[in-house]
Amino acid sequence: MRGHESSVFSISVHASGRYAITTSSDTAQLWDLDTFQRKRKLNILQSVGIQKVFFLPLSNTILSCFKDNSIFAWECDTLFCKYQLPPPPESSSILYKVFAVTRDGRILAAGGKSNHLHLWCLEAKQLFRIIQMPTKVRAIRYLEFLPDSFDAGSNQVLGVLSQDGIMRFINVQTCKLLFEIGSLDEGISSSVISPHGRYIASIMENGSLNIYSVQALTQEINKPPSIVPSRLPLHRKRRKTKLLRHKPPPPLVKVIEDLPKSKLTSGDLKMKVTSGRVQRPAKSREKQIQTRILKQDLTGHFENKENELSDGLNKKRLQILLKGYGEYPTKYRMFIWRSLLQLPENHTAFSSLIDKGIHVAFLNLQKKYPIKSRKLLRVLQRTLSALAHWSAIFSDTPYLPLLAFPFVKLFQNNQLICFEVVATLIINWCQHWFEYFPNPPINILSMIENVLAFHDKELLQHYRDHDITSQVYAWPLLETVFSEVLTREEWLKLFDNVFSNHPSFLLLTVVAYNICSRAPLLNCSLKDDFEYFFHHRNNLDISAVIREVYHLMDTTPADIHPDNMLDVFVALTKGQYPVFNQYPKFIVDYQTQERERIRNDELDYLRERQTVENMQAEVDQQRVEDEAWYQKQELLRKAEETRREMLLQEEEKMIQQRQRLAAVKRELKAKEMHLQEAARRRFLKLQQDQREMELRRLEDEIERKVHMRDQEMATAVKDLEMRHLELESQKRLYEKNLTRNQETAAKEMREDADAYRRKVNLEEHTFHRLIETDQTQNQKTQKLIEENLAKAEQACLNTDWRIQALHKQRCDDLQRNECYQEMAKLLRKNRRKEIEVLNAMMEKEAKTWEEAEEKDFRLKSEKKASALSDASRQWFLEKEINDALEHTEGPRSQYEQVASSCLPRTSPGSDVSEVDASTWISLNQRKTQWDTMEQDLLDRVRNLRQRLTARARHSCRTPHLLAT
């Protein structure tokens, strides 16, 4: 079961059926039966074992009993310690092994290896009675209270099974023996009572099962009990208080009550069981106990004292059972072996041996014996190390692992039992094995050879003929204790008989194995075949071998019988293990010294070899590191070359990309230049078209005005004809001339306005150029040059256009002068005719010209003042432009000067040149002033155009007048 290292010997279930407690010698565990999960685990020291842990009936209390006689009560839910029973008196101190509790959970009965029974009152938590059994009872093996229908759970009858196989039933109140079952001839092995107390089932030592009827055994069961005040419940005690005061209790109860309530001595508590007549059921033909015989009855009287074992077993009976069945039950084999070998279970001594660690001789055990199971190897190492620490010879015994391995494999979960079994085997069944150490036990082999010579001379002679000694046909079986030639079941069956008999049984088993295998052995002639035979399994019936062993034990003469040369069985001592020195100590000491010397030499050699290996490792490491460094350097060099090639390739690619990029840039620049040239040409064409359209518009306007002038001239001719007719028409003509003069002045004003507008445009262009100069300081010089060239070309075009306009104006002036001369001639011719009219008109004209000259002088003075202010502004703008262009390159300033030199200048011969000379304004003027000035300039241009139109009209009309 999980959590237990040893076998579980007790299971207790709670009254509710929900919980269960499993108990082994090393621990106790509380289980939840609903979920099958472990709730708690009781851990104890190895020196304090557990006897029993169980639930009290009809209670929630757990009672734990330990091997040191300490008894504790625990609460089941919280596992809180409720109380601890005090230790029993020293005069009647026994080791408790069996326990029983009444159905009401008030009285605890405990017994052990003694004829005393202790009765504890769990309510008062004290020992209230000690019952002494008859003298023939030396140990108590089992206790159980007999249920009664009328005792309300306070059971009065206790069944006691003793070592002699008889179960006695006594009344714990009257201490009277009621009846008994079983006998010395037909002993009881175990027994159980039915829940209602009507039947008793017993397993007998001979293997039979007997069922007894309690009513047939006694008539004192299931009868209404007499009133016992000490056993009444609390509420019944209160009701009977007056009865107790007035009526004295019976004598037996009186004796019990007369005991002092303070500390009770063991002498006062002891009561002997009266050995009166035991009531047995009447044996009649009508009522006989029917017994079913499972095996032939075993008869005979044995000496119980000599054959009595621990835990209530009897060696002689075990031998009889073994002869009957051939082997022990598998379930109880380990228990029987421990009882037969009388293992002391010295936990402290074994722990001291284990604490010394793994012995040096068995550190490399896995190399010689490669065992797959790591746990099995570890247990084997610990067991062999403990044996080596126990006695020095076992560290030099080469066959010790072979001897101990089957027991280690069998007891691998309990190393203490394994060690003690092997130690007991060595002390008893390996007697005189180490007298010729380190050689095989020649004396033991001689015993085997003598027995074989007596029982099978032919086989021994066959061995001698083929030079086969006892070290070939006997020693391999002994050193491996038959584990190589037998299966597990056969080996267990053999050692059931070995442990149940005298130590000489093992030696006779070797002889029996040879005799039973004589047929194949007689056919062998080679030594290798013999060695193979005694080291491998063979087709042999182990039961026949065991029967042959018993036959050899009975028929071997006393002078060669191993019984006379081997001592009887001796168990290990309790507390400390005995000293094992049955070997030639000087040889072992000499071997130990030699081994120690060799080990020291080997350690020195290993140290030197380790030093050399370390040096070699350092040299190898240095060589490896140097090789790795050179390889790393080579790799770095190759990587560097690769990177250099990659960089060269990348640089070539970069150069190619740059070349392609430069070509693309050139193409883009060429395309840009072409586009700019196309745009410039388109712009120039647009300007030319605009100029042509303007010229066509002006021509159309001039033609229209000429047409209008012709019409006006025709009208004027008609008017002059009319003036010849009347004087008023002359006056109207005068007024028309005056109006014509005003239109001429308006035309001049429009021309001035147009000039002023052009001046403002130039000033705006200059100002914007200044701003663009400040914003485009970091632009490329080539672009600035192209822009300046474009501006210069535009200025040239504008200048050409102005020159053409001025040339056309001069032509018009010449034509007007010619017209004026013709008109003067006509006037002189006509002056005679109209002298009076002309005089008046001349006077008026003289006055008008005087006023015009005054206005013209005033206008020129104002123009001079405006020119001065324009010059000052021009100087300021040039200074600001020079400051802004100080940070630019030299060619840029030169191109700027060229561009400024290409700007249109003023000409002294025309009004347009005078306007261009004074087209500078201040930088501090706001945008609103620019808008206002633009509007004024547009008005002035409009007026100037009107004046020019009026003048042209007047110049065209004058010749017609003169012609008339």
Side-chain angles (χ1 to χ4, degrees), residues 624-650:
V624 170
E625 290 179 357
D626 294 342
E627 186 66 24
W629 185 81
Y630 286 123
Q631 292 179 358
K632 186 176 180 181
Q633 294 299 322
E634 183 67 20
L635 292 175
L636 289 175
R637 186 183 62 78
K638 292 181 179 179
E640 185 178 0
E641 292 178 356
T642 305
R643 297 296 187 277
R644 188 178 294 109
E645 292 176 357
M646 292 174 62
L647 288 174
L648 292 175
Q649 294 176 1
E650 292 295 332

PDB file of all heavy atoms in Angstrom, residues 624-650:
ATOM      1  N   VAL A 624      44.596  23.726 -28.462  1.00  0.00           N
ATOM      2  CA  VAL A 624      43.268  23.937 -29.065  1.00  0.00           C
ATOM      3  C   VAL A 624      42.945  25.413 -29.139  1.00  0.00           C
ATOM      4  O   VAL A 624      42.410  25.909 -30.142  1.00  0.00           O
ATOM      5  CB  VAL A 624      42.197  23.173 -28.256  1.00  0.00           C
ATOM      6  CG1 VAL A 624      40.797  23.571 -28.712  1.00  0.00           C
ATOM      7  CG2 VAL A 624      42.389  21.673 -28.409  1.00  0.00           C
ATOM      8  N   GLU A 625      43.290  26.147 -28.045  1.00  0.00           N
ATOM      9  CA  GLU A 625      43.017  27.581 -28.056  1.00  0.00           C
ATOM     10  C   GLU A 625      43.848  28.286 -29.126  1.00  0.00           C
ATOM     11  O   GLU A 625      43.336  29.178 -29.830  1.00  0.00           O
ATOM     12  CB  GLU A 625      43.317  28.168 -26.678  1.00  0.00           C
ATOM     13  CG  GLU A 625      42.330  27.739 -25.603  1.00  0.00           C
ATOM     14  CD  GLU A 625      42.687  28.315 -24.253  1.00  0.00           C
ATOM     15  OE1 GLU A 625      43.750  28.998 -24.168  1.00  0.00           O
ATOM     16  OE2 GLU A 625      41.923  28.102 -23.290  1.00  0.00           O
ATOM     17  N   ASP A 626      45.169  27.869 -29.238  1.00  0.00           N
ATOM     18  CA  ASP A 626      45.994  28.483 -30.288  1.00  0.00           C
ATOM     19  C   ASP A 626      45.441  28.166 -31.668  1.00  0.00           C
ATOM     20  O   ASP A 626      45.367  29.051 -32.538  1.00  0.00           O
ATOM     21  CB  ASP A 626      47.437  27.961 -30.172  1.00  0.00           C
ATOM     22  CG  ASP A 626      48.100  28.432 -28.885  1.00  0.00           C
ATOM     23  OD1 ASP A 626      47.579  29.404 -28.284  1.00  0.00           O
ATOM     24  OD2 ASP A 626      49.114  27.833 -28.470  1.00  0.00           O
ATOM     25  N   GLU A 627      45.085  26.888 -31.852  1.00  0.00           N
ATOM     26  CA  GLU A 627      44.526  26.518 -33.146  1.00  0.00           C
ATOM     27  C   GLU A 627      43.238  27.281 -33.419  1.00  0.00           C
ATOM     28  O   GLU A 627      43.002  27.765 -34.532  1.00  0.00           O
ATOM     29  CB  GLU A 627      44.248  25.001 -33.162  1.00  0.00           C
ATOM     30  CG  GLU A 627      43.802  24.463 -34.519  1.00  0.00           C
ATOM     31  CD  GLU A 627      44.894  24.557 -35.564  1.00  0.00           C
ATOM     32  OE1 GLU A 627      46.089  24.602 -35.165  1.00  0.00           O
ATOM     33  OE2 GLU A 627      44.569  24.584 -36.756  1.00  0.00           O
ATOM     34  N   ALA A 628      42.441  27.387 -32.367  1.00  0.00           N
ATOM     35  CA  ALA A 628      41.194  28.146 -32.537  1.00  0.00           C
ATOM     36  C   ALA A 628      41.491  29.610 -32.834  1.00  0.00           C
ATOM     37  O   ALA A 628      40.794  30.242 -33.650  1.00  0.00           O
ATOM     38  CB  ALA A 628      40.337  28.028 -31.277  1.00  0.00           C
ATOM     39  N   TRP A 629      42.575  30.149 -32.155  1.00  0.00           N
ATOM     40  CA  TRP A 629      42.913  31.569 -32.404  1.00  0.00           C
ATOM     41  C   TRP A 629      43.389  31.768 -33.844  1.00  0.00           C
ATOM     42  O   TRP A 629      42.972  32.716 -34.515  1.00  0.00           O
ATOM     43  CB  TRP A 629      43.998  31.994 -31.425  1.00  0.00           C
ATOM     44  CG  TRP A 629      44.310  33.460 -31.528  1.00  0.00           C
ATOM     45  CD1 TRP A 629      43.627  34.488 -30.986  1.00  0.00           C
ATOM     46  CD2 TRP A 629      45.423  34.040 -32.233  1.00  0.00           C
ATOM     47  NE1 TRP A 629      44.199  35.680 -31.293  1.00  0.00           N
ATOM     48  CE2 TRP A 629      45.315  35.444 -32.073  1.00  0.00           C
ATOM     49  CE3 TRP A 629      46.475  33.518 -32.981  1.00  0.00           C
ATOM     50  CZ2 TRP A 629      46.236  36.319 -32.623  1.00  0.00           C
ATOM     51  CZ3 TRP A 629      47.383  34.393 -33.537  1.00  0.00           C
ATOM     52  CH2 TRP A 629      47.264  35.779 -33.353  1.00  0.00           C
ATOM     53  N   TYR A 630      44.265  30.815 -34.308  1.00  0.00           N
ATOM     54  CA  TYR A 630      44.730  30.923 -35.693  1.00  0.00           C
ATOM     55  C   TYR A 630      43.559  30.772 -36.666  1.00  0.00           C
ATOM     56  O   TYR A 630      43.459  31.503 -37.666  1.00  0.00           O
ATOM     57  CB  TYR A 630      45.786  29.857 -35.971  1.00  0.00           C
ATOM     58  CG  TYR A 630      47.132  30.168 -35.329  1.00  0.00           C
ATOM     59  CD1 TYR A 630      47.734  29.272 -34.454  1.00  0.00           C
ATOM     60  CD2 TYR A 630      47.801  31.373 -35.600  1.00  0.00           C
ATOM     61  CE1 TYR A 630      48.953  29.554 -33.853  1.00  0.00           C
ATOM     62  CE2 TYR A 630      49.018  31.659 -35.011  1.00  0.00           C
ATOM     63  CZ  TYR A 630      49.596  30.758 -34.136  1.00  0.00           C
ATOM     64  OH  TYR A 630      50.783  31.042 -33.558  1.00  0.00           O
ATOM     65  N   GLN A 631      42.714  29.816 -36.386  1.00  0.00           N
ATOM     66  CA  GLN A 631      41.548  29.661 -37.248  1.00  0.00           C
ATOM     67  C   GLN A 631      40.679  30.903 -37.225  1.00  0.00           C
ATOM     68  O   GLN A 631      40.163  31.336 -38.261  1.00  0.00           O
ATOM     69  CB  GLN A 631      40.729  28.437 -36.812  1.00  0.00           C
ATOM     70  CG  GLN A 631      41.438  27.116 -37.045  1.00  0.00           C
ATOM     71  CD  GLN A 631      40.608  25.944 -36.577  1.00  0.00           C
ATOM     72  OE1 GLN A 631      39.512  26.129 -36.043  1.00  0.00           O
ATOM     73  NE2 GLN A 631      41.136  24.727 -36.758  1.00  0.00           N
ATOM     74  N   LYS A 632      40.549  31.467 -36.030  1.00  0.00           N
ATOM     75  CA  LYS A 632      39.751  32.686 -35.915  1.00  0.00           C
ATOM     76  C   LYS A 632      40.385  33.827 -36.693  1.00  0.00           C
ATOM     77  O   LYS A 632      39.694  34.589 -37.393  1.00  0.00           O
ATOM     78  CB  LYS A 632      39.598  33.062 -34.440  1.00  0.00           C
ATOM     79  CG  LYS A 632      38.664  34.225 -34.193  1.00  0.00           C
ATOM     80  CD  LYS A 632      38.489  34.466 -32.709  1.00  0.00           C
ATOM     81  CE  LYS A 632      37.545  35.634 -32.456  1.00  0.00           C
ATOM     82  NZ  LYS A 632      37.385  35.890 -30.999  1.00  0.00           N
ATOM     83  N   GLN A 633      41.767  33.932 -36.580  1.00  0.00           N
ATOM     84  CA  GLN A 633      42.450  34.976 -37.332  1.00  0.00           C
ATOM     85  C   GLN A 633      42.305  34.755 -38.838  1.00  0.00           C
ATOM     86  O   GLN A 633      42.105  35.698 -39.606  1.00  0.00           O
ATOM     87  CB  GLN A 633      43.937  35.021 -36.945  1.00  0.00           C
ATOM     88  CG  GLN A 633      44.183  35.441 -35.505  1.00  0.00           C
ATOM     89  CD  GLN A 633      43.668  36.848 -35.225  1.00  0.00           C
ATOM     90  OE1 GLN A 633      43.780  37.739 -36.063  1.00  0.00           O
ATOM     91  NE2 GLN A 633      43.094  37.031 -34.050  1.00  0.00           N
ATOM     92  N   GLU A 634      42.425  33.466 -39.240  1.00  0.00           N
ATOM     93  CA  GLU A 634      42.261  33.168 -40.662  1.00  0.00           C
ATOM     94  C   GLU A 634      40.847  33.515 -41.129  1.00  0.00           C
ATOM     95  O   GLU A 634      40.647  34.099 -42.202  1.00  0.00           O
ATOM     96  CB  GLU A 634      42.545  31.675 -40.897  1.00  0.00           C
ATOM     97  CG  GLU A 634      42.487  31.257 -42.359  1.00  0.00           C
ATOM     98  CD  GLU A 634      43.608  31.881 -43.184  1.00  0.00           C
ATOM     99  OE1 GLU A 634      44.624  32.312 -42.576  1.00  0.00           O
ATOM    100  OE2 GLU A 634      43.461  31.949 -44.416  1.00  0.00           O
ATOM    101  N   LEU A 635      39.908  33.158 -40.288  1.00  0.00           N
ATOM    102  CA  LEU A 635      38.529  33.494 -40.633  1.00  0.00           C
ATOM    103  C   LEU A 635      38.322  35.002 -40.688  1.00  0.00           C
ATOM    104  O   LEU A 635      37.617  35.525 -41.558  1.00  0.00           O
ATOM    105  CB  LEU A 635      37.572  32.865 -39.614  1.00  0.00           C
ATOM    106  CG  LEU A 635      37.479  31.339 -39.639  1.00  0.00           C
ATOM    107  CD1 LEU A 635      36.596  30.841 -38.495  1.00  0.00           C
ATOM    108  CD2 LEU A 635      36.913  30.855 -40.976  1.00  0.00           C
ATOM    109  N   LEU A 636      38.970  35.699 -39.711  1.00  0.00           N
ATOM    110  CA  LEU A 636      38.851  37.159 -39.719  1.00  0.00           C
ATOM    111  C   LEU A 636      39.485  37.745 -40.975  1.00  0.00           C
ATOM    112  O   LEU A 636      38.958  38.694 -41.575  1.00  0.00           O
ATOM    113  CB  LEU A 636      39.506  37.738 -38.463  1.00  0.00           C
ATOM    114  CG  LEU A 636      38.771  37.486 -37.140  1.00  0.00           C
ATOM    115  CD1 LEU A 636      39.587  38.013 -35.970  1.00  0.00           C
ATOM    116  CD2 LEU A 636      37.404  38.158 -37.152  1.00  0.00           C
ATOM    117  N   ARG A 637      40.682  37.178 -41.356  1.00  0.00           N
ATOM    118  CA  ARG A 637      41.336  37.679 -42.564  1.00  0.00           C
ATOM    119  C   ARG A 637      40.461  37.429 -43.791  1.00  0.00           C
ATOM    120  O   ARG A 637      40.281  38.331 -44.633  1.00  0.00           O
ATOM    121  CB  ARG A 637      42.692  36.989 -42.731  1.00  0.00           C
ATOM    122  CG  ARG A 637      43.540  37.544 -43.885  1.00  0.00           C
ATOM    123  CD  ARG A 637      44.832  36.756 -44.013  1.00  0.00           C
ATOM    124  NE  ARG A 637      44.566  35.369 -44.331  1.00  0.00           N
ATOM    125  CZ  ARG A 637      44.244  34.920 -45.544  1.00  0.00           C
ATOM    126  NH1 ARG A 637      44.136  35.778 -46.561  1.00  0.00           N
ATOM    127  NH2 ARG A 637      44.015  33.639 -45.756  1.00  0.00           N
ATOM    128  N   LYS A 638      39.943  36.200 -43.878  1.00  0.00           N
ATOM    129  CA  LYS A 638      39.068  35.907 -45.013  1.00  0.00           C
ATOM    130  C   LYS A 638      37.825  36.781 -44.984  1.00  0.00           C
ATOM    131  O   LYS A 638      37.376  37.273 -46.024  1.00  0.00           O
ATOM    132  CB  LYS A 638      38.669  34.430 -44.988  1.00  0.00           C
ATOM    133  CG  LYS A 638      39.809  33.479 -45.260  1.00  0.00           C
ATOM    134  CD  LYS A 638      39.336  32.027 -45.238  1.00  0.00           C
ATOM    135  CE  LYS A 638      40.485  31.057 -45.528  1.00  0.00           C
ATOM    136  NZ  LYS A 638      40.035  29.639 -45.489  1.00  0.00           N
ATOM    137  N   ALA A 639      37.319  36.963 -43.781  1.00  0.00           N
ATOM    138  CA  ALA A 639      36.138  37.826 -43.674  1.00  0.00           C
ATOM    139  C   ALA A 639      36.472  39.254 -44.070  1.00  0.00           C
ATOM    140  O   ALA A 639      35.672  39.942 -44.724  1.00  0.00           O
ATOM    141  CB  ALA A 639      35.595  37.778 -42.243  1.00  0.00           C
ATOM    142  N   GLU A 640      37.700  39.690 -43.655  1.00  0.00           N
ATOM    143  CA  GLU A 640      38.100  41.048 -44.030  1.00  0.00           C
ATOM    144  C   GLU A 640      38.253  41.183 -45.546  1.00  0.00           C
ATOM    145  O   GLU A 640      37.808  42.186 -46.144  1.00  0.00           O
ATOM    146  CB  GLU A 640      39.422  41.390 -43.327  1.00  0.00           C
ATOM    147  CG  GLU A 640      39.874  42.828 -43.558  1.00  0.00           C
ATOM    148  CD  GLU A 640      41.144  43.136 -42.806  1.00  0.00           C
ATOM    149  OE1 GLU A 640      41.648  42.226 -42.111  1.00  0.00           O
ATOM    150  OE2 GLU A 640      41.631  44.260 -42.920  1.00  0.00           O
ATOM    151  N   GLU A 641      38.882  40.170 -46.177  1.00  0.00           N
ATOM    152  CA  GLU A 641      39.001  40.209 -47.634  1.00  0.00           C
ATOM    153  C   GLU A 641      37.620  40.201 -48.288  1.00  0.00           C
ATOM    154  O   GLU A 641      37.358  40.943 -49.236  1.00  0.00           O
ATOM    155  CB  GLU A 641      39.829  39.017 -48.106  1.00  0.00           C
ATOM    156  CG  GLU A 641      41.307  39.091 -47.693  1.00  0.00           C
ATOM    157  CD  GLU A 641      42.076  37.859 -48.148  1.00  0.00           C
ATOM    158  OE1 GLU A 641      41.417  36.943 -48.713  1.00  0.00           O
ATOM    159  OE2 GLU A 641      43.304  37.813 -47.942  1.00  0.00           O
ATOM    160  N   THR A 642      36.784  39.335 -47.753  1.00  0.00           N
ATOM    161  CA  THR A 642      35.429  39.280 -48.312  1.00  0.00           C
ATOM    162  C   THR A 642      34.724  40.618 -48.163  1.00  0.00           C
ATOM    163  O   THR A 642      34.084  41.120 -49.100  1.00  0.00           O
ATOM    164  CB  THR A 642      34.632  38.180 -47.611  1.00  0.00           C
ATOM    165  OG1 THR A 642      35.343  36.941 -47.704  1.00  0.00           O
ATOM    166  CG2 THR A 642      33.267  38.014 -48.243  1.00  0.00           C
ATOM    167  N   ARG A 643      34.893  41.214 -46.976  1.00  0.00           N
ATOM    168  CA  ARG A 643      34.258  42.525 -46.753  1.00  0.00           C
ATOM    169  C   ARG A 643      34.861  43.589 -47.669  1.00  0.00           C
ATOM    170  O   ARG A 643      34.147  44.449 -48.190  1.00  0.00           O
ATOM    171  CB  ARG A 643      34.418  42.944 -45.285  1.00  0.00           C
ATOM    172  CG  ARG A 643      33.745  42.047 -44.282  1.00  0.00           C
ATOM    173  CD  ARG A 643      32.232  42.055 -44.464  1.00  0.00           C
ATOM    174  NE  ARG A 643      31.561  41.328 -43.405  1.00  0.00           N
ATOM    175  CZ  ARG A 643      31.402  40.017 -43.382  1.00  0.00           C
ATOM    176  NH1 ARG A 643      31.893  39.289 -44.383  1.00  0.00           N
ATOM    177  NH2 ARG A 643      30.760  39.434 -42.389  1.00  0.00           N
ATOM    178  N   ARG A 644      36.221  43.475 -47.879  1.00  0.00           N
ATOM    179  CA  ARG A 644      36.864  44.457 -48.757  1.00  0.00           C
ATOM    180  C   ARG A 644      36.352  44.306 -50.190  1.00  0.00           C
ATOM    181  O   ARG A 644      36.033  45.300 -50.860  1.00  0.00           O
ATOM    182  CB  ARG A 644      38.381  44.280 -48.715  1.00  0.00           C
ATOM    183  CG  ARG A 644      39.142  45.382 -49.461  1.00  0.00           C
ATOM    184  CD  ARG A 644      40.630  45.197 -49.364  1.00  0.00           C
ATOM    185  NE  ARG A 644      41.099  45.358 -47.985  1.00  0.00           N
ATOM    186  CZ  ARG A 644      41.539  44.364 -47.221  1.00  0.00           C
ATOM    187  NH1 ARG A 644      41.548  43.117 -47.699  1.00  0.00           N
ATOM    188  NH2 ARG A 644      41.953  44.572 -45.991  1.00  0.00           N
ATOM    189  N   GLU A 645      36.257  43.052 -50.631  1.00  0.00           N
ATOM    190  CA  GLU A 645      35.707  42.841 -51.966  1.00  0.00           C
ATOM    191  C   GLU A 645      34.269  43.325 -52.055  1.00  0.00           C
ATOM    192  O   GLU A 645      33.866  43.957 -53.038  1.00  0.00           O
ATOM    193  CB  GLU A 645      35.774  41.351 -52.316  1.00  0.00           C
ATOM    194  CG  GLU A 645      37.202  40.839 -52.488  1.00  0.00           C
ATOM    195  CD  GLU A 645      37.232  39.342 -52.734  1.00  0.00           C
ATOM    196  OE1 GLU A 645      36.126  38.741 -52.711  1.00  0.00           O
ATOM    197  OE2 GLU A 645      38.320  38.785 -52.943  1.00  0.00           O
ATOM    198  N   MET A 646      33.542  43.030 -50.998  1.00  0.00           N
ATOM    199  CA  MET A 646      32.154  43.495 -50.991  1.00  0.00           C
ATOM    200  C   MET A 646      32.083  45.012 -51.008  1.00  0.00           C
ATOM    201  O   MET A 646      31.242  45.608 -51.712  1.00  0.00           O
ATOM    202  CB  MET A 646      31.422  42.948 -49.766  1.00  0.00           C
ATOM    203  CG  MET A 646      31.212  41.442 -49.789  1.00  0.00           C
ATOM    204  SD  MET A 646      30.506  40.798 -48.250  1.00  0.00           S
ATOM    205  CE  MET A 646      28.947  41.668 -48.242  1.00  0.00           C
ATOM    206  N   LEU A 647      33.025  45.670 -50.250  1.00  0.00           N
ATOM    207  CA  LEU A 647      33.028  47.132 -50.243  1.00  0.00           C
ATOM    208  C   LEU A 647      33.403  47.684 -51.608  1.00  0.00           C
ATOM    209  O   LEU A 647      32.817  48.678 -52.075  1.00  0.00           O
ATOM    210  CB  LEU A 647      34.003  47.644 -49.177  1.00  0.00           C
ATOM    211  CG  LEU A 647      33.569  47.462 -47.723  1.00  0.00           C
ATOM    212  CD1 LEU A 647      34.677  47.885 -46.782  1.00  0.00           C
ATOM    213  CD2 LEU A 647      32.319  48.280 -47.446  1.00  0.00           C
ATOM    214  N   LEU A 648      34.417  47.021 -52.264  1.00  0.00           N
ATOM    215  CA  LEU A 648      34.782  47.479 -53.606  1.00  0.00           C
ATOM    216  C   LEU A 648      33.614  47.326 -54.572  1.00  0.00           C
ATOM    217  O   LEU A 648      33.330  48.218 -55.381  1.00  0.00           O
ATOM    218  CB  LEU A 648      35.990  46.676 -54.102  1.00  0.00           C
ATOM    219  CG  LEU A 648      37.324  46.939 -53.364  1.00  0.00           C
ATOM    220  CD1 LEU A 648      38.399  46.001 -53.865  1.00  0.00           C
ATOM    221  CD2 LEU A 648      37.747  48.398 -53.525  1.00  0.00           C
ATOM    222  N   GLN A 649      32.968  46.171 -54.474  1.00  0.00           N
ATOM    223  CA  GLN A 649      31.804  45.979 -55.329  1.00  0.00           C
ATOM    224  C   GLN A 649      30.721  47.005 -55.036  1.00  0.00           C
ATOM    225  O   GLN A 649      30.103  47.559 -55.952  1.00  0.00           O
ATOM    226  CB  GLN A 649      31.247  44.561 -55.141  1.00  0.00           C
ATOM    227  CG  GLN A 649      32.187  43.468 -55.629  1.00  0.00           C
ATOM    228  CD  GLN A 649      31.637  42.087 -55.341  1.00  0.00           C
ATOM    229  OE1 GLN A 649      30.545  41.959 -54.788  1.00  0.00           O
ATOM    230  NE2 GLN A 649      32.405  41.069 -55.726  1.00  0.00           N
ATOM    231  N   GLU A 650      30.534  47.254 -53.717  1.00  0.00           N
ATOM    232  CA  GLU A 650      29.527  48.253 -53.358  1.00  0.00           C
ATOM    233  C   GLU A 650      29.926  49.636 -53.850  1.00  0.00           C
ATOM    234  O   GLU A 650      29.077  50.421 -54.299  1.00  0.00           O
ATOM    235  CB  GLU A 650      29.317  48.257 -51.835  1.00  0.00           C
ATOM    236  CG  GLU A 650      28.666  47.010 -51.272  1.00  0.00           C
ATOM    237  CD  GLU A 650      27.243  46.851 -51.764  1.00  0.00           C
ATOM    238  OE1 GLU A 650      26.608  47.880 -52.060  1.00  0.00           O
ATOM    239  OE2 GLU A 650      26.787  45.704 -51.899  1.00  0.00           O
TER     240      GLU A 650
END
